[in-house]
C-alpha cells in the first residue's frame, strides 16, 4: 500500500524546518490571542478599555491580528496536509480514521467540556443547547482540530471514490507564478460567497469557525497534499519566496484598502494572495535558515500542539492574575499578557505530553 515515489517528511530526511515553523506559528497564535485580550477583539475576559489618548494603540493590535489572520491558519492547514498521504499509506483506512479521531477528536472536546465552563458562565450543556437550536457551537481554538477531521475524512472519501491511492504518480513541477496569481484571483469571489453563507449560517456552524475563510483553508490543505505528492518542497526556490512576500505585502497594503474603500470586506479580497504568498516565503526561509534541531527546538516542536489546545485557559489565568498590574497602554498590556502566556502554554504542553494518557494524544 505504500507509495514508493515519496517518503514521509521526517527528521531523517531533513525536514526539521517544518517542525520549527509549526512551533513558531503556535507562538504567533498565542500572541494573536494575547492581542485580543489586551485589545478590542472580544474574548470574554478582555482587559478594561484604556484612556482615550491611548486608544490609538488598539489599531496597532488590530493590524497585528489582521496580518496574522491573513495567512497563519492557512499555513497550519498546509503543514498538516503534508503528512496526510504518508500517514494514510502507513496506517490504512481503519487505523488512519481511528487515529484522527483520537489525536484530533479528543482535543476538540477539551474546549467545550473543560476550558469553556472554567473561563465563563457558559456550561457545556448551554453550548449543546445552542448547537441544537442554531447549529452553531463554540469550539474555541479546537475548531482547527475538528476542521482537520472533516478535511481528512473528505480527502479519504475522495481517495476511495476515485481509487486514487494505488499507483505512484509522476511528480509535477511547481506551478508558474502566473498560475498561482490566477488561482488566488479566482478564490476572491468564492470567498465573498462564503462570507454570505456565514452571514446566513453563523460564525460557528457545526463547529466550523468563520466559514468565510474556508475557501482559503481548503485550498491550502489541497496544496499541502499536492506539495507532498509532487515534491514541491524540494523545488521551492528564492524566486518563489520573493514573489510570495511581494504578493503578501501588496495584498495587505494595496488590495485590501481598495476593497475597503468601496465598503467591501477586504479580508475576502486579500486572504488568498496573503496565505499563498506568505506560505511560499516562510517555507523557503525556514528551509534555508532553520533546517536543524537542538534540544530546545525538539521540545518546542513536541509540545506545540498541546500548547495550542490549552492556550486559552492559560491566557485566562494570566489575564486574571496580572489584571492589577495592567497599564493604560494596550501595547504594554499585550506584552505583559503575551510573554507569560507563551511560556506557560508551552510549559503546560510539556507537562501534558509527559502524562501517561495524554502523551498518546498530544
Amino acid at each position: 500500500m505504500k507509495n514508493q515515489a515519496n517518503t514521509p517528511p521526517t527528521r531523517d530526511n531533513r525536514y526539521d524546518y517544518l517542525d520549527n515553523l509549526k512551533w513558531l506559528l503556535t507562538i504567533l497564535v498565542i500572541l494573536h490571542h494575547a492581542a485580543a485580550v489586551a485589545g478590542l477583539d472580544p474574548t470574554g475576559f478582555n482587559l478594561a478599555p484604556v484612556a482615550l489618548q491611548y486608544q490609538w494603540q488598539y489599531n496597532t493590535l488590530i493590524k497585528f491580528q489582521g496580518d496574522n489572520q491573513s495567512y497563519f491558519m492557512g499555513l497550519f492547514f498546509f503543514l498538516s496536509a503534508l503528512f496526510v498521504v504518508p500517514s494514510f499509506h502507513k496506517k490504512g483506512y481503519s487505523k488512519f480514521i481511528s487515529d484522527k479521531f483520537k489525536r484530533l477528536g479528543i482535543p476538540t472536546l477539551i474546549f467545550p467540556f473543560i476550558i469553556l465552563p472554567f473561563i465563563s458562565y457558559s456550561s457545556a450543556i448551554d453550548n449543546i443547547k445552542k448547537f441544537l437550536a442554531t447549529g452553531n457551537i463554540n469550539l474555541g481554538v479546537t475548531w482547527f482540530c475538528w476542521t482537520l477531521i472533516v478535511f481528512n475524512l473528505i480527502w479519504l472519501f475522495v481517495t476511495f471514490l476515485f481509487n486514487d491511492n494505488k499507483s505512484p504518480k509522476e511528480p509535477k513541477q511547481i506551478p508558474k507564478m502566473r498560475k498561482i496569481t490566477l488561482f488566488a484571483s479566482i478564490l476572491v469571489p468564492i470567498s465573498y460567497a462564503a462570507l454570505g453563507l456565514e452571514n446566513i449560517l453563523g460564525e460557528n456552524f457545526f463547529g466550523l469557525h468563520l466559514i468565510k475563510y474556508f475557501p482559503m483553508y481548503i485550498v491550502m490543505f489541497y496544496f499541502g497534499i499536492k506539495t507532498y505528492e509532487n515534491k514541491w518542497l524540494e523545488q521551492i526556490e528564492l524566486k518563489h519566496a520573493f514573489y510570495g512576500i511581494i504578493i503578501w505585502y501588496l495584498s495587505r497594503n494595496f488590495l485590501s484598502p481598495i476593497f475597503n474603500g468601496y465598503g467591501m470586506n477586504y479580508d475576502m479580497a486579500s486572504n488568498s494572495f496573503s496565505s499563498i504568498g506568505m506560505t511560499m516565503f516562510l517555507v523557503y526561509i525556514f528551509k534555508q535558515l532553520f533546517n536543524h534541531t537542538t534540544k530546545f527546538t525538539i521540545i518546542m516542536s513536541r509540545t506545540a500542539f498541546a500548547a495550542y489546545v490549552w492556550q486559552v485557559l492559560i491566557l485566562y489565568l494570566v489575564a486574571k492574575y496580572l489584571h492589577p498590574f495592567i497599564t493604560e497602554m494596550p501595547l504594554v498590556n499585550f506584552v505583559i499578557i503575551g510573554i507569560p502566556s507563551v511560556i506557560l502554554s508551552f510549559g503546560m504542553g510539556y507537562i501534558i505530553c509527559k502524562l501517561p494518557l495524554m502523551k498518546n494524544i498530544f
Side-chain angles (χ1 to χ4, degrees), residues 149-222:
I149 292 176
V150 174
F151 284 5
N152 275 276
L153 291 179
I154 292 174
W155 174 84
L156 197 65
F157 175 75
V158 172
T159 298
F160 175 79
L161 193 64
F162 293 97
N163 200 25
D164 200 28
N165 65 303
K166 294 298 182 182
S167 58
K169 300 177 181 178
E170 188 68 26
K172 299 178 181 179
Q173 291 295 313
I174 192 168
K176 301 293 184 182
M177 306 300 184
R178 63 179 180 273
K179 289 186 177 181
I180 294 174
T181 305
L182 177 61
F183 195 87
S185 301
I186 294 173
L187 272 182
V188 174
I190 298 175
S191 296
Y192 276 105
L195 174 62
L197 188 63
E198 180 185 307
N199 291 334
I200 296 172
L201 299 177
E203 292 188 350
N204 295 293
F205 187 69
F206 272 76
L208 304 176
H209 183 56
L210 299 178
I211 295 175
K212 63 185 178 183
Y213 295 122
F214 268 64
M216 182 256 289
Y217 295 155
I218 293 169
V219 164
M220 295 306 296
F221 187 82
Y222 173 79

Side-chain angles (χ1 to χ4, degrees), residues 10-18 287 290-293:
T10 64
R11 179 164 290 115
D12 293 337
N13 292 326
R14 299 294 295 167
Y15 282 88
D16 297 323
Y17 66 94
L18 297 179
K287 178 182 175 182
F290 303 106
N291 196 20
H292 56 269
T293 61

Side-chain angles (χ1 to χ4, degrees), residues 83-326:
F83 298 87
V84 169
V85 176
S87 176
F88 170 69
H89 288 158
K90 178 181 178 181
K91 299 172 183 177
Y93 284 101
S94 59
K95 183 67 167 60
F96 179 84
I97 294 173
S98 63
D99 187 67
K100 292 303 176 187
F101 275 101
K102 181 180 78 171
R103 290 182 168 272
L104 295 173
I106 294 176
T108 296
L109 299 176
I110 286 175
F111 184 85
F113 289 99
I114 297 178
I115 297 178
L116 184 61
F118 185 87
I119 68 175
S120 72
Y121 295 108
S122 174
S123 67
I125 299 299
D126 293 333
N127 216 9
I128 293 174
K129 288 181 178 178
K130 182 178 180 181
F131 170 68
L132 294 176
T134 68
N136 283 256
I137 184 168
N138 182 9
L139 297 179
V141 297
T142 60
W143 70 267
F144 174 68
C145 305
W146 166 238
T147 303
L148 276 180
I149 292 176
V150 174
F151 284 5
N152 275 276
L153 291 179
I154 292 174
W155 174 84
L156 197 65
F157 175 75
V158 172
T159 298
F160 175 79
L161 193 64
F162 293 97
N163 200 25
D164 200 28
N165 65 303
K166 294 298 182 182
S167 58
K169 300 177 181 178
E170 188 68 26
K172 299 178 181 179
Q173 291 295 313
I174 192 168
K176 301 293 184 182
M177 306 300 184
R178 63 179 180 273
K179 289 186 177 181
I180 294 174
T181 305
L182 177 61
F183 195 87
S185 301
I186 294 173
L187 272 182
V188 174
I190 298 175
S191 296
Y192 276 105
L195 174 62
L197 188 63
E198 180 185 307
N199 291 334
I200 296 172
L201 299 177
E203 292 188 350
N204 295 293
F205 187 69
F206 272 76
L208 304 176
H209 183 56
L210 299 178
I211 295 175
K212 63 185 178 183
Y213 295 122
F214 268 64
M216 182 256 289
Y217 295 155
I218 293 169
V219 164
M220 295 306 296
F221 187 82
Y222 173 79
F223 278 171
I225 291 174
K226 290 303 176 183
T227 294
Y228 170 80
E229 291 178 342
N230 295 305
K231 299 185 178 181
W232 286 344
L233 289 177
E234 287 76 9
Q235 297 179 38
I236 192 167
E237 300 175 351
L238 177 60
K239 63 181 181 181
H240 300 107
F242 179 77
Y243 176 75
I245 196 63
I246 289 297
I247 64 171
W248 178 84
Y249 180 81
L250 292 177
S251 66
R252 295 301 299 169
N253 294 281
F254 291 94
L255 186 62
S256 291
I258 291 173
F259 276 76
N260 192 41
Y262 285 98
M264 302 176 70
N265 187 304
Y266 55 86
D267 281 341
M268 301 301 94
S270 66
N271 274 3
S272 57
F273 297 96
S274 298
S275 190
I276 294 172
M278 187 59 80
T279 294
M280 290 193 296
F281 175 75
L282 288 177
V283 167
Y284 178 80
I285 293 299
F286 272 72
K287 178 182 175 182
Q288 297 301 315
L289 301 179
F290 303 106
N291 196 20
H292 56 269
T293 61
T294 65
K295 185 176 181 180
F296 172 76
T297 62
I298 292 174
I299 292 174
M300 293 293 285
S301 174
R302 176 67 183 88
T303 59
F305 180 50
Y308 174 88
V309 170
W310 291 94
Q311 62 175 295
V312 177
L313 177 61
I314 296 297
L315 282 161
Y316 172 81
L317 294 174
V318 170
K320 288 295 183 182
Y321 180 78
L322 294 180
H323 193 273
F325 306 100
I326 64 171

